Amino acid sequence: MHATSLQDTTAPEGVCFGCGSSNHHGLHIKSHWHEDGIHVIAEHLPEAKYCGWPDLVYGGLIAMLVDCHSNWTAMAYHYRNEQRAPGSLPRIDCVTGNLGIKFIKPTPMGVPLTLRARVEGEVARKSRVVCEVYAGDVLTAIGDSLFVRVDTQQLADAAHGRES
């Protein structure tokens, strides 16, 4: 589709099921800056096993696509805001603070999905990302979510009760 993805440039060791480049069982979502300089784009063709109702994409898959792609959009905006190349150190990481999905129309199976996301408002510790999901040319869902810039090692330590 484009040059090397944000995921492969910034986190080639990533293990996230949705977007981790090193997760052998994952979906390997690949996000790229759009030529307009505003949106971050990803494309995905759901496999038949991600069917919800007959011939329709499972809503949970759409939520996961929006979550991963929106998170990478937030991180891409942070790098750009700091005038740094994605993958430059120290690494920028964000996590989902709030995930909102509005399903507008049923999403058909067998149609390539395009995710088109942008940060709305200020790029800050907490950034709002709006992500549109298109099946072909049809808008089927919109994500309106909040992503928080974090130190992921501190989060992992806290989750496991370890001292930082």
Side-chain angles (χ1 to χ4, degrees), residues 45-59 61-62 105-113 135 140:
L45 181 60
E47 296 178 41
K49 65 184 174 183
Y50 297 108
C51 187
W53 292 100
D55 211 26
L56 298 175
V57 178
Y58 171 55
L61 175 68
I62 294 170
K105 292 186 175 186
T107 303
M109 292 297 294
V111 177
L113 305 181
T140 65

Side-chain angles (χ1 to χ4, degrees), residues 28-50:
H28 303 123
I29 297 165
K30 304 295 183 194
S31 305
H32 301 87
W33 275 107
H34 187 270
E35 60 193 27
D36 68 10
I38 298 168
H39 295 92
V40 177
I41 303 292
E43 294 179 355
H44 183 75
L45 181 60
E47 296 178 41
K49 65 184 174 183
Y50 297 108

Side-chain angles (χ1 to χ4, degrees), residues 153-162:
Q153 186 59 55
Q154 286 180 348
L155 285 181
D157 289 345
H160 289 278
R162 299 184 293 246

Side-chain angles (χ1 to χ4, degrees), residues 66 98-102 120 128-131 142-146:
V66 167
N98 178 287
L99 182 65
I101 307 287
K102 180 177 181 181
E120 282 286 320
R128 179 181 173 213
V129 177
V130 174
C131 180
I142 298 176
D144 190 345
S145 307
L146 187 68

Side-chain angles (χ1 to χ4, degrees), residues 116-136:
R116 181 177 169 98
R118 69 192 178 282
V119 168
E120 282 286 320
E122 184 180 1
V123 177
R125 182 173 171 269
K126 295 180 180 179
S127 299
R128 179 181 173 213
V129 177
V130 174
C131 180
E132 299 167 331
V133 180
Y134 292 88

Side-chain angles (χ1 to χ4, degrees), residues 9-36:
T9 300
T10 306
E13 76 292 346
V15 295
C16 174
F17 179 77
C19 60
S21 297
S22 291
N23 187 328
H24 301 292
H25 303 288
L27 299 178
H28 303 123
I29 297 165
K30 304 295 183 194
S31 305
H32 301 87
W33 275 107
H34 187 270
E35 60 193 27
D36 68 10

